[in-house]
Amino acid sequence: MTGLTVGTLYHVRAYATNGSGTAYGTDVTFTATAAVLGQSVQLNYQSGYVFDIDLTGTHGLIALGYSQGFPGPITTDWGCTSTTTGATGTVIGTGLANTTAIIANITTNLCTSNPAYGEFAPVISQYPGLDWYLPSKDEMDLLWTNRATDATGTLDALLSTALGVAPFWSSSEVSSTNVWTFDGTVWSNLSLKTDLNTLWPVRSF
């Protein structure tokens, strides 16, 4: 559920309507609480972990759990080479727009992914749903650095697992041939769009 107010008591019950009328389930109550770093969130059939929260505690960013098999590690290429997509956003909040621009560029230019997996990183990032995306440079940076402030230790455990499969793609384009990538220590703007790097999808809430 979305649009809830932190601290508010909510009542929920299921109901079913057919030719005989409407039947109601048991009333269930809960109080909406603020998100916390490392919190596991179930989204449809795919769960993820909160790695950034705004000051209200009601909005932030979620990353897929690496220990759950998806995203991987899945290594693949980034997108069409020798074309500019306009996906140059690096700041927090630009990853989804970047991803949309990259996929539109792939569609327009009828580009084909080279690896056997058969899909570019931004396309695979949306397999769990269209609200998932390849993070921008700063969003990927947050995913990596916020482990230090996660009291649960969940994020640190996930990131430690992921360290061996870096470098990671960002959705931030540098030029017609290059993209920002992160190897777990430093950023590089020299990675080619045709390189095979790992993707780690995120989404906002």
Side-chain angles (χ1 to χ4, degrees):
M1 289 180 281
T2 60
L4 304 182
T5 301
V6 173
T8 299
L9 177 67
Y10 290 91
H11 294 260
V12 181
R13 61 177 177 171
Y15 69 93
T17 302
N18 58 26
S20 299
T22 300
Y24 293 91
T26 304
D27 181 68
V28 177
T29 62
F30 68 92
T31 300
T33 58
V36 295
L37 288 178
Q39 178 180 352
S40 177
V41 180
Q42 185 70 33
L43 301 158
N44 297 323
Y45 299 106
Q46 188 65 57
S47 61
Y49 292 91
V50 175
F51 70 90
D52 181 61
I53 310 165
D54 71 3
L55 294 177
T56 69
T58 58
H59 300 286
L61 294 166
I62 299 169
L64 287 183
Y66 235 87
S67 62
Q68 298 175 12
F70 186 88
I74 293 175
T75 56
T76 190
D77 42 3
W78 187 85
C80 302
T81 190
S82 301
T83 68
T84 54
T85 67
T88 56
T90 58
V91 300
I92 296 166
T94 58
L96 180 57
N98 283 349
T99 299
T100 301
I102 301 163
I103 294 173
N105 181 263
I106 292 167
T107 302
T108 298
N109 291 285
L110 302 176
C111 301
T112 303
S113 175
N114 291 321
Y117 203 84
E119 293 283 10
F120 291 108
V123 176
I124 297 172
S125 74
Q126 294 195 330
Y127 278 7
L130 296 180
D131 46 2
W132 292 88
Y133 53 91
L134 205 59
S136 68
K137 181 177 181 288
D138 289 358
E139 288 165 343
M140 186 69 215
D141 222 28
L142 266 182
L143 174 55
W144 206 262
T145 58
N146 276 2
R147 71 189 188 280
T149 57
D150 172 24
T152 69
T154 302
L155 289 179
D156 191 34
L158 289 169
L159 289 166
S160 297
T161 302
L163 183 58
V165 296
F168 291 99
W169 286 120
S170 79
S171 61
S172 303
E173 183 179 60
V174 176
S175 68
S176 63
T177 56
N178 297 87
V179 180
W180 283 104
T181 56
F182 183 63
D183 70 0
T185 304
V186 297
W187 281 93
S188 172
N189 62 0
L190 300 176
S191 295
L192 298 174
K193 294 178 180 180
T194 53
D195 289 343
L196 302 184
N197 293 318
T198 307
L199 65 138
W200 198 337
V202 302
R203 61 157 287 172
S204 61
F205 68 93

Coordinates of all heavy atoms in Angstrom, one line a residue, residues 109-200:
N109 N 16.9 2.4 -32.3 CA 18.0 2.0 -33.2 C 18.1 0.5 -33.4 O 19.0 0.0 -34.1 CB 19.4 2.4 -32.5 CG 19.5 3.9 -32.5 OD1 19.8 4.5 -33.6 ND2 19.3 4.6 -31.4
L110 N 17.1 -0.3 -32.9 CA 17.0 -1.7 -33.1 C 18.3 -2.4 -32.7 O 18.8 -3.3 -33.4 CB 16.7 -2.0 -34.5 CG 15.3 -1.4 -35.0 CD1 15.1 -1.7 -36.5 CD2 14.2 -1.9 -34.2
C111 N 19.0 -2.0 -31.6 CA 20.2 -2.6 -31.2 C 20.0 -3.9 -30.6 O 19.0 -4.2 -30.0 CB 20.9 -1.7 -30.2 SG 21.2 0.0 -30.8
T112 N 21.0 -4.8 -30.7 CA 21.0 -6.2 -30.2 C 22.1 -6.4 -29.2 O 23.2 -6.0 -29.4 CB 21.1 -7.2 -31.4 OG1 20.1 -6.9 -32.3 CG2 21.0 -8.6 -30.8
S113 N 21.7 -6.9 -28.1 CA 22.7 -7.2 -27.0 C 23.6 -8.4 -27.5 O 23.1 -9.4 -28.0 CB 21.9 -7.6 -25.7 OG 22.8 -8.0 -24.7
N114 N 24.9 -8.2 -27.3 CA 25.8 -9.3 -27.7 C 25.9 -10.5 -26.9 O 26.0 -11.6 -27.4 CB 27.2 -8.6 -27.8 CG 27.3 -7.6 -28.9 OD1 26.7 -7.8 -30.0 ND2 28.0 -6.5 -28.7
P115 N 25.8 -10.4 -25.5 CA 25.9 -11.6 -24.7 C 24.8 -12.6 -25.0 O 23.7 -12.3 -25.5 CB 25.9 -11.1 -23.3 CG 26.2 -9.7 -23.4 CD 25.7 -9.2 -24.7
A116 N 25.1 -13.8 -24.5 CA 24.1 -14.9 -24.7 C 22.8 -14.6 -24.0 O 21.7 -15.1 -24.4 CB 24.7 -16.2 -24.3
Y117 N 22.8 -13.8 -22.9 CA 21.6 -13.5 -22.2 C 20.6 -12.8 -23.1 O 19.4 -12.9 -22.9 CB 21.9 -12.7 -20.9 CG 20.9 -12.8 -19.9 CD1 20.9 -13.9 -19.0 CD2 19.8 -11.9 -19.8 CE1 19.9 -14.0 -18.0 CE2 18.8 -12.0 -18.9 CZ 18.9 -13.1 -18.0 OH 17.9 -13.2 -17.0
G118 N 21.1 -12.0 -24.0 CA 20.2 -11.5 -25.0 C 19.5 -10.2 -24.7 O 18.7 -9.7 -25.5
E119 N 19.8 -9.5 -23.6 CA 19.1 -8.3 -23.2 C 20.1 -7.3 -22.6 O 21.0 -7.7 -21.9 CB 18.0 -8.5 -22.2 CG 16.8 -9.3 -22.8 CD 15.9 -8.4 -23.7 OE1 16.3 -7.3 -24.1 OE2 14.8 -8.9 -24.0
F120 N 20.0 -6.0 -22.9 CA 20.8 -5.0 -22.3 C 20.5 -4.8 -20.8 O 19.3 -5.1 -20.4 CB 20.6 -3.7 -23.0 CG 21.2 -3.7 -24.4 CD1 20.4 -3.7 -25.5 CD2 22.6 -3.7 -24.7 CE1 20.9 -3.7 -26.8 CE2 23.1 -3.7 -26.0 CZ 22.2 -3.7 -27.0
A121 N 21.4 -4.3 -20.1 CA 21.3 -4.1 -18.6 C 20.0 -3.3 -18.2 O 19.3 -3.7 -17.3 CB 22.5 -3.4 -18.0
P122 N 19.7 -2.2 -18.9 CA 18.5 -1.4 -18.5 C 17.2 -2.2 -18.7 O 16.3 -2.0 -17.9 CB 18.5 -0.2 -19.4 CG 20.0 0.0 -19.8 CD 20.5 -1.4 -19.9
V123 N 17.2 -3.0 -19.7 CA 16.0 -3.8 -20.0 C 15.8 -4.9 -18.9 O 14.7 -5.1 -18.3 CB 16.0 -4.5 -21.4 CG1 14.8 -5.4 -21.6 CG2 16.1 -3.5 -22.5
I124 N 16.9 -5.6 -18.5 CA 16.8 -6.6 -17.5 C 16.5 -5.9 -16.1 O 15.8 -6.5 -15.3 CB 18.2 -7.3 -17.4 CG1 18.5 -8.1 -18.7 CG2 18.2 -8.3 -16.2 CD1 19.9 -8.7 -18.8
S125 N 16.9 -4.7 -15.9 CA 16.6 -4.0 -14.6 C 15.1 -3.9 -14.4 O 14.7 -3.8 -13.3 CB 17.3 -2.7 -14.6 OG 16.7 -1.7 -15.4
Q126 N 14.3 -3.9 -15.5 CA 12.9 -3.8 -15.3 C 12.1 -5.1 -15.3 O 10.9 -5.1 -15.4 CB 12.4 -2.8 -16.4 CG 12.9 -1.4 -16.2 CD 12.1 -0.4 -17.0 OE1 11.6 -0.7 -18.1 NE2 12.1 0.9 -16.5
Y127 N 12.8 -6.2 -15.3 CA 12.2 -7.5 -15.2 C 11.3 -7.6 -14.0 O 10.2 -8.2 -14.1 CB 13.2 -8.6 -15.2 CG 13.7 -9.0 -16.6 CD1 13.4 -8.3 -17.7 CD2 14.6 -10.1 -16.7 CE1 13.9 -8.7 -19.0 CE2 15.1 -10.5 -17.9 CZ 14.7 -9.8 -19.1 OH 15.3 -10.2 -20.3
P128 N 11.7 -7.1 -12.8 CA 10.7 -7.2 -11.7 C 9.5 -6.3 -11.8 O 8.6 -6.4 -11.0 CB 11.6 -6.8 -10.5 CG 13.0 -6.8 -11.0 CD 13.0 -6.5 -12.4
G129 N 9.6 -5.3 -12.7 CA 8.5 -4.3 -12.9 C 9.0 -3.1 -13.5 O 10.2 -2.7 -13.4
L130 N 8.1 -2.3 -14.1 CA 8.6 -1.1 -14.8 C 9.0 0.0 -13.9 O 9.5 1.0 -14.3 CB 7.4 -0.6 -15.8 CG 7.1 -1.5 -16.9 CD1 6.0 -0.9 -17.7 CD2 8.3 -1.9 -17.7
D131 N 8.7 -0.1 -12.6 CA 9.2 0.9 -11.6 C 10.6 0.6 -11.1 O 11.1 1.4 -10.3 CB 8.2 1.1 -10.5 CG 7.7 -0.2 -9.9 OD1 8.2 -1.3 -10.3 OD2 6.8 -0.2 -9.0
W132 N 11.2 -0.5 -11.5 CA 12.6 -0.7 -11.2 C 13.4 -0.2 -12.3 O 13.0 -0.1 -13.4 CB 12.8 -2.2 -11.1 CG 12.1 -2.9 -9.9 CD1 10.9 -3.3 -9.8 CD2 12.7 -3.0 -8.6 NE1 10.6 -3.8 -8.6 CE2 11.7 -3.7 -7.8 CE3 13.9 -2.8 -8.0 CZ2 11.9 -4.0 -6.4 CZ3 14.1 -3.1 -6.7 CH2 13.1 -3.7 -5.9
Y133 N 14.7 0.1 -12.0 CA 15.5 0.8 -13.0 C 17.0 0.6 -12.6 O 17.4 0.2 -11.5 CB 15.2 2.2 -13.2 CG 15.2 3.1 -11.9 CD1 16.3 3.7 -11.4 CD2 14.0 3.2 -11.1 CE1 16.3 4.5 -10.3 CE2 14.0 3.9 -10.0 CZ 15.1 4.6 -9.5 OH 15.1 5.3 -8.4
L134 N 17.9 0.9 -13.6 CA 19.3 1.0 -13.4 C 19.7 2.3 -12.7 O 19.3 3.3 -13.1 CB 20.0 0.9 -14.8 CG 21.4 0.4 -14.9 CD1 21.4 -1.1 -14.4 CD2 21.8 0.4 -16.3
P135 N 20.3 2.2 -11.5 CA 20.5 3.4 -10.7 C 21.5 4.4 -11.4 O 22.4 4.0 -12.2 CB 21.2 2.9 -9.4 CG 21.8 1.6 -9.8 CD 20.9 1.0 -10.9
S136 N 21.3 5.7 -11.2 CA 22.2 6.7 -11.6 C 23.5 6.6 -10.8 O 23.6 5.8 -9.8 CB 21.6 8.1 -11.4 OG 21.5 8.4 -10.0
K137 N 24.5 7.3 -11.2 CA 25.8 7.3 -10.5 C 25.6 7.5 -9.0 O 26.1 6.8 -8.2 CB 26.8 8.3 -11.1 CG 28.1 8.3 -10.5 CD 29.0 9.3 -11.3 CE 30.4 9.4 -10.7 NZ 30.5 10.0 -9.4
D138 N 24.9 8.6 -8.6 CA 24.8 8.9 -7.2 C 23.9 8.0 -6.5 O 24.0 7.7 -5.3 CB 24.3 10.4 -7.1 CG 25.3 11.4 -7.4 OD1 26.4 11.0 -7.8 OD2 25.0 12.6 -7.4
E139 N 22.9 7.4 -7.2 CA 22.0 6.4 -6.5 C 22.8 5.1 -6.2 O 22.7 4.5 -5.2 CB 20.8 6.1 -7.4 CG 19.8 7.2 -7.5 CD 18.8 7.1 -8.6 OE1 19.1 6.3 -9.6 OE2 17.8 7.8 -8.5
M140 N 23.7 4.7 -7.1 CA 24.6 3.6 -6.9 C 25.5 3.9 -5.8 O 25.8 3.0 -4.9 CB 25.3 3.2 -8.2 CG 26.1 1.9 -8.1 SD 25.1 0.5 -8.0 CE 26.1 -0.5 -6.9
D141 N 26.0 5.1 -5.7 CA 26.9 5.5 -4.6 C 26.2 5.4 -3.3 O 26.8 4.9 -2.3 CB 27.3 7.0 -4.9 CG 28.8 7.2 -4.6 OD1 29.6 6.2 -4.7 OD2 29.1 8.3 -4.2
L142 N 24.9 5.8 -3.2 CA 24.2 5.7 -1.9 C 24.0 4.2 -1.5 O 24.1 3.9 -0.4 CB 22.8 6.3 -2.1 CG 22.6 7.7 -1.7 CD1 21.1 8.1 -1.9 CD2 23.0 8.0 -0.2
L143 N 23.7 3.4 -2.5 CA 23.5 2.0 -2.2 C 24.8 1.4 -1.6 O 24.7 0.6 -0.7 CB 23.2 1.2 -3.5 CG 23.1 -0.3 -3.5 CD1 22.1 -0.8 -2.5 CD2 22.7 -0.8 -4.9
W144 N 25.9 1.9 -2.0 CA 27.2 1.3 -1.5 C 27.6 1.9 -0.2 O 28.0 1.2 0.7 CB 28.3 1.6 -2.5 CG 29.4 0.6 -2.4 CD1 30.6 0.7 -1.8 CD2 29.4 -0.8 -2.9 NE1 31.3 -0.4 -1.8 CE2 30.6 -1.3 -2.6 CE3 28.5 -1.5 -3.7 CZ2 31.0 -2.6 -2.9 CZ3 28.8 -2.8 -4.0 CH2 30.1 -3.4 -3.6
T145 N 27.4 3.2 0.0 CA 27.9 3.9 1.2 C 27.0 3.8 2.4 O 27.5 3.9 3.5 CB 28.2 5.4 0.9 OG1 27.0 6.0 0.4 CG2 29.3 5.6 -0.2
N146 N 25.7 3.7 2.2 CA 24.8 3.7 3.3 C 24.9 2.4 4.2 O 24.3 2.4 5.2 CB 23.3 3.9 2.8 CG 23.0 5.3 2.7 OD1 23.9 6.2 2.8 ND2 21.8 5.6 2.3
R147 N 25.7 1.5 3.8 CA 25.8 0.3 4.6 C 26.4 0.7 5.9 O 26.2 0.0 7.0 CB 26.7 -0.7 3.9 CG 28.2 -0.4 3.8 CD 28.9 -1.4 2.9 NE 30.4 -1.2 2.9 CZ 31.0 -0.2 2.3 NH1 30.3 0.6 1.5 NH2 32.3 -0.1 2.3
A148 N 27.2 1.7 6.0 CA 27.9 2.2 7.2 C 26.9 2.7 8.2 O 27.2 2.6 9.4 CB 28.9 3.2 6.9
T149 N 25.8 3.1 7.8 CA 24.8 3.7 8.8 C 23.6 2.8 9.0 O 22.6 3.1 9.7 CB 24.2 5.0 8.3 OG1 23.7 4.9 7.0 CG2 25.4 6.1 8.2
D150 N 23.7 1.5 8.4 CA 22.6 0.6 8.6 C 22.8 -0.2 9.9 O 23.6 -1.1 10.0 CB 22.5 -0.4 7.4 CG 21.5 -1.5 7.6 OD1 20.6 -1.4 8.4 OD2 21.7 -2.6 7.0
A151 N 22.0 0.1 10.9 CA 22.1 -0.5 12.2 C 21.8 -2.0 12.2 O 22.3 -2.8 13.0 CB 21.2 0.1 13.2
T152 N 21.0 -2.5 11.2 CA 20.7 -3.9 11.1 C 21.8 -4.8 10.6 O 21.8 -6.0 10.8 CB 19.4 -4.1 10.3 OG1 19.8 -3.9 8.9 CG2 18.3 -3.2 10.7
G153 N 22.7 -4.2 9.8 CA 23.8 -4.9 9.2 C 23.4 -5.6 7.9 O 24.2 -6.2 7.3
T154 N 22.1 -5.5 7.6 CA 21.6 -6.2 6.4 C 22.3 -5.7 5.1 O 22.7 -6.5 4.3 CB 20.1 -6.1 6.3 OG1 19.5 -6.6 7.5 CG2 19.6 -6.8 5.1
L155 N 22.3 -4.4 5.0 CA 22.9 -3.8 3.8 C 24.4 -4.2 3.6 O 24.9 -4.5 2.5 CB 22.7 -2.3 3.7 CG 21.3 -1.8 3.5 CD1 21.3 -0.3 3.5 CD2 20.8 -2.3 2.2
D156 N 25.1 -4.1 4.7 CA 26.5 -4.5 4.7 C 26.7 -5.9 4.2 O 27.6 -6.2 3.4 CB 27.2 -4.3 6.1 CG 28.7 -4.3 6.0 OD1 29.3 -3.9 5.0 OD2 29.3 -4.8 7.0
A157 N 25.9 -6.8 4.7 CA 26.0 -8.2 4.3 C 25.7 -8.4 2.8 O 26.4 -9.1 2.1 CB 25.0 -9.1 5.2
L158 N 24.7 -7.7 2.4 CA 24.3 -7.8 0.9 C 25.5 -7.2 0.1 O 25.8 -7.8 -1.0 CB 23.1 -7.0 0.7 CG 21.8 -7.7 1.2 CD1 20.6 -6.7 1.1 CD2 21.4 -8.9 0.5
L159 N 26.0 -6.1 0.5 CA 27.1 -5.5 -0.3 C 28.3 -6.3 -0.3 O 29.1 -6.3 -1.3 CB 27.3 -4.0 0.2 CG 26.2 -3.1 -0.1 CD1 26.3 -1.8 0.7 CD2 26.1 -2.7 -1.6
S160 N 28.6 -6.9 0.8 CA 29.8 -7.8 0.9 C 29.7 -8.9 -0.1 O 30.7 -9.3 -0.7 CB 30.0 -8.3 2.3 OG 30.2 -7.2 3.2
T161 N 28.5 -9.5 -0.2 CA 28.3 -10.5 -1.2 C 28.4 -10.0 -2.6 O 29.0 -10.7 -3.4 CB 26.8 -11.1 -1.0 OG1 26.7 -11.6 0.3 CG2 26.5 -12.2 -2.0
A162 N 28.0 -8.8 -2.8 CA 28.0 -8.2 -4.2 C 29.4 -7.8 -4.6 O 29.7 -7.7 -5.8 CB 27.1 -7.1 -4.3
L163 N 30.3 -7.6 -3.6 CA 31.6 -7.0 -4.0 C 32.4 -7.9 -5.0 O 33.0 -7.3 -5.9 CB 32.5 -6.9 -2.7 CG 33.9 -6.3 -2.8 CD1 33.8 -4.9 -3.4 CD2 34.6 -6.2 -1.5
G164 N 32.3 -9.2 -4.9 CA 33.0 -10.0 -5.8 C 32.5 -10.0 -7.2 O 33.1 -10.6 -8.1
V165 N 31.3 -9.4 -7.5 CA 30.8 -9.4 -8.9 C 30.8 -8.0 -9.5 O 30.2 -7.8 -10.5 CB 29.4 -10.0 -8.9 CG1 29.4 -11.5 -8.5 CG2 28.4 -9.2 -8.0
A166 N 31.5 -7.1 -8.8 CA 31.6 -5.7 -9.4 C 32.6 -5.9 -10.6 O 33.3 -6.8 -10.7 CB 32.2 -4.8 -8.4
P167 N 32.6 -4.9 -11.6 CA 32.0 -3.6 -11.5 C 30.5 -3.6 -11.9 O 30.0 -4.5 -12.6 CB 32.8 -2.8 -12.5 CG 33.3 -3.8 -13.5 CD 33.5 -5.0 -12.7
F168 N 29.8 -2.6 -11.3 CA 28.4 -2.4 -11.6 C 28.1 -1.3 -12.6 O 28.8 -0.2 -12.6 CB 27.7 -2.1 -10.3 CG 27.6 -3.2 -9.3 CD1 28.5 -3.2 -8.2 CD2 26.7 -4.2 -9.4 CE1 28.5 -4.3 -7.3 CE2 26.7 -5.2 -8.5 CZ 27.6 -5.3 -7.5
W169 N 27.1 -1.5 -13.4 CA 26.7 -0.4 -14.3 C 25.9 0.6 -13.5 O 25.2 0.3 -12.6 CB 25.7 -1.0 -15.3 CG 26.3 -1.8 -16.4 CD1 25.9 -3.1 -16.7 CD2 27.2 -1.4 -17.5 NE1 26.6 -3.5 -17.8 CE2 27.4 -2.5 -18.3 CE3 27.9 -0.2 -17.7 CZ2 28.2 -2.4 -19.4 CZ3 28.7 -0.2 -18.8 CH2 28.9 -1.3 -19.6
S170 N 26.1 1.9 -13.9 CA 25.1 2.9 -13.6 C 24.3 3.2 -14.8 O 24.7 2.7 -15.9 CB 25.8 4.2 -13.1 OG 26.3 4.9 -14.2
S171 N 23.3 4.0 -14.7 CA 22.5 4.4 -15.9 C 23.0 5.7 -16.5 O 22.5 6.3 -17.4 CB 21.0 4.5 -15.6 OG 20.9 5.5 -14.6
S172 N 24.1 6.2 -15.9 CA 24.7 7.5 -16.3 C 25.6 7.5 -17.4 O 26.7 6.9 -17.3 CB 25.3 8.2 -15.1 OG 24.4 8.3 -14.0
E173 N 25.2 8.0 -18.5 CA 26.0 8.0 -19.8 C 27.1 9.1 -19.7 O 26.8 10.2 -19.3 CB 25.1 8.2 -21.0 CG 25.8 8.1 -22.3 CD 24.7 8.3 -23.4 OE1 24.1 9.4 -23.5 OE2 24.6 7.4 -24.2
V174 N 28.3 8.7 -20.2 CA 29.4 9.7 -20.3 C 29.5 10.3 -21.7 O 29.6 11.5 -22.0 CB 30.7 9.1 -19.9 CG1 31.9 10.0 -20.1 CG2 30.7 8.5 -18.5
S175 N 29.4 9.4 -22.7 CA 29.5 9.8 -24.1 C 28.8 8.7 -25.0 O 28.1 7.8 -24.5 CB 31.0 9.8 -24.5 OG 31.6 8.5 -24.5
S176 N 29.0 8.8 -26.3 CA 28.3 7.8 -27.2 C 28.9 6.4 -27.0 O 28.2 5.5 -27.4 CB 28.5 8.3 -28.6 OG 29.9 8.3 -29.0
T177 N 30.0 6.3 -26.4 CA 30.6 5.0 -26.2 C 30.9 4.6 -24.7 O 31.2 3.4 -24.5 CB 32.0 4.9 -26.9 OG1 32.8 6.0 -26.5 CG2 31.8 5.0 -28.5
N178 N 30.8 5.5 -23.8 CA 31.2 5.3 -22.4 C 30.1 5.5 -21.4 O 29.3 6.4 -21.6 CB 32.5 6.1 -22.1 CG 33.7 5.8 -22.9 OD1 33.8 6.3 -24.0 ND2 34.5 4.9 -22.5
V179 N 30.3 4.8 -20.3 CA 29.3 4.9 -19.2 C 30.0 4.9 -17.8 O 31.1 4.3 -17.7 CB 28.3 3.7 -19.2 CG1 27.3 3.7 -18.1 CG2 27.6 3.6 -20.6
W180 N 29.4 5.5 -16.8 CA 30.0 5.4 -15.4 C 29.8 4.0 -14.9 O 28.7 3.5 -14.9 CB 29.3 6.4 -14.5 CG 29.8 7.9 -14.7 CD1 29.1 8.9 -15.3 CD2 31.0 8.4 -14.2 NE1 29.9 10.0 -15.2 CE2 31.0 9.8 -14.6 CE3 32.1 7.9 -13.5 CZ2 32.1 10.6 -14.3 CZ3 33.2 8.7 -13.2 CH2 33.2 10.1 -13.6
T181 N 30.8 3.4 -14.3 CA 30.7 2.1 -13.6 C 31.5 2.2 -12.3 O 32.4 3.1 -12.1 CB 31.3 1.0 -14.4 OG1 32.7 1.3 -14.8 CG2 30.5 0.7 -15.7
F182 N 31.1 1.3 -11.4 CA 31.7 1.4 -10.0 C 32.2 0.0 -9.7 O 31.5 -1.0 -9.8 CB 30.6 1.7 -9.0 CG 31.1 1.9 -7.6 CD1 32.1 2.8 -7.2 CD2 30.6 1.0 -6.6 CE1 32.6 2.9 -5.9 CE2 31.1 1.1 -5.3 CZ 32.1 2.1 -5.0
D183 N 33.5 -0.1 -9.3 CA 34.1 -1.4 -9.0 C 34.1 -1.8 -7.5 O 34.8 -2.8 -7.2 CB 35.5 -1.5 -9.6 CG 36.5 -0.6 -8.8 OD1 36.1 0.0 -7.8 OD2 37.7 -0.6 -9.2
G184 N 33.4 -1.1 -6.7 CA 33.4 -1.3 -5.3 C 34.4 -0.5 -4.5 O 34.3 -0.4 -3.3
T185 N 35.2 0.2 -5.2 CA 36.2 1.2 -4.6 C 36.2 2.5 -5.3 O 36.1 3.5 -4.7 CB 37.6 0.6 -4.7 OG1 37.6 -0.7 -4.0 CG2 38.6 1.5 -3.9
V186 N 36.3 2.5 -6.6 CA 36.4 3.8 -7.4 C 35.4 3.7 -8.6 O 35.0 2.7 -9.0 CB 37.8 4.0 -7.9 CG1 38.8 4.2 -6.7 CG2 38.3 2.9 -8.8
W187 N 35.1 4.9 -9.0 CA 34.3 5.1 -10.2 C 35.1 5.3 -11.4 O 36.2 5.8 -11.4 CB 33.4 6.3 -10.1 CG 32.2 6.1 -9.2 CD1 32.1 6.3 -7.9 CD2 30.9 5.5 -9.6 NE1 30.8 5.9 -7.4 CE2 30.1 5.5 -8.5 CE3 30.4 5.1 -10.8 CZ2 28.8 5.0 -8.5 CZ3 29.1 4.6 -10.9 CH2 28.3 4.6 -9.7
S188 N 34.6 4.8 -12.6 CA 35.3 4.9 -13.8 C 34.4 5.5 -14.9 O 33.2 5.0 -14.9 CB 35.9 3.6 -14.3 OG 36.4 3.7 -15.6
N189 N 34.8 6.4 -15.7 CA 34.0 6.9 -16.8 C 34.6 6.4 -18.1 O 34.3 7.0 -19.2 CB 34.0 8.5 -16.8 CG 35.3 9.1 -16.9 OD1 36.4 8.4 -17.1 ND2 35.4 10.4 -16.9
L190 N 35.4 5.4 -18.0 CA 36.0 4.8 -19.2 C 35.4 3.5 -19.7 O 35.8 2.9 -20.7 CB 37.5 4.6 -19.0 CG 38.3 5.9 -18.6 CD1 39.8 5.5 -18.3 CD2 38.2 6.9 -19.8
S191 N 34.4 3.0 -18.9 CA 33.8 1.7 -19.3 C 33.0 1.9 -20.6 O 32.2 2.8 -20.8 CB 32.8 1.3 -18.2 OG 33.5 1.0 -17.0
L192 N 33.2 0.9 -21.5 CA 32.5 0.9 -22.8 C 31.1 0.3 -22.7 O 30.9 -0.6 -21.9 CB 33.3 0.1 -23.8 CG 34.7 0.6 -24.1 CD1 35.5 -0.4 -25.1 CD2 34.7 2.0 -24.8
K193 N 30.2 0.8 -23.5 CA 28.9 0.3 -23.4 C 28.8 -1.2 -23.9 O 27.8 -1.9 -23.5 CB 28.0 1.1 -24.4 CG 27.8 2.6 -23.9 CD 26.9 3.3 -24.9 CE 26.7 4.8 -24.5 NZ 25.9 5.5 -25.4
T194 N 29.8 -1.6 -24.5 CA 29.9 -3.0 -25.0 C 30.5 -3.9 -23.9 O 30.6 -5.2 -24.1 CB 30.7 -3.1 -26.3 OG1 31.9 -2.5 -26.1 CG2 29.9 -2.5 -27.4
D195 N 31.1 -3.4 -22.8 CA 31.6 -4.2 -21.8 C 30.5 -5.1 -21.1 O 29.4 -4.8 -21.2 CB 32.3 -3.3 -20.7 CG 33.5 -2.6 -21.2 OD1 34.1 -3.1 -22.2 OD2 34.0 -1.7 -20.5
L196 N 31.0 -6.1 -20.5 CA 30.0 -7.0 -19.7 C 30.2 -6.7 -18.2 O 31.2 -7.1 -17.6 CB 30.3 -8.4 -20.0 CG 30.2 -8.8 -21.5 CD1 30.4 -10.3 -21.6 CD2 28.9 -8.4 -22.1
N197 N 29.3 -5.9 -17.7 CA 29.3 -5.6 -16.3 C 28.0 -6.0 -15.6 O 27.1 -6.4 -16.3 CB 29.5 -4.1 -16.1 CG 30.9 -3.6 -16.5 OD1 31.9 -4.3 -16.2 ND2 31.0 -2.5 -17.2
T198 N 28.0 -5.9 -14.3 CA 26.8 -6.4 -13.5 C 25.8 -5.3 -13.3 O 26.2 -4.1 -13.1 CB 27.3 -6.9 -12.1 OG1 28.4 -7.9 -12.3 CG2 26.2 -7.6 -11.3
L199 N 24.5 -5.7 -13.2 CA 23.5 -4.7 -12.9 C 22.9 -5.0 -11.6 O 22.9 -6.1 -11.1 CB 22.4 -4.7 -14.0 CG 21.6 -6.0 -14.1 CD1 20.1 -5.7 -14.3 CD2 22.1 -6.8 -15.3
W200 N 22.4 -3.9 -10.9 CA 21.8 -4.0 -9.6 C 20.6 -3.1 -9.6 O 20.7 -1.9 -9.4 CB 22.7 -3.6 -8.5 CG 22.3 -4.1 -7.2 CD1 21.0 -4.4 -6.8 CD2 23.1 -4.3 -6.0 NE1 21.0 -4.9 -5.5 CE2 22.2 -4.8 -5.0 CE3 24.4 -4.2 -5.8 CZ2 22.7 -5.1 -3.7 CZ3 24.9 -4.5 -4.5 CH2 24.1 -5.0 -3.5

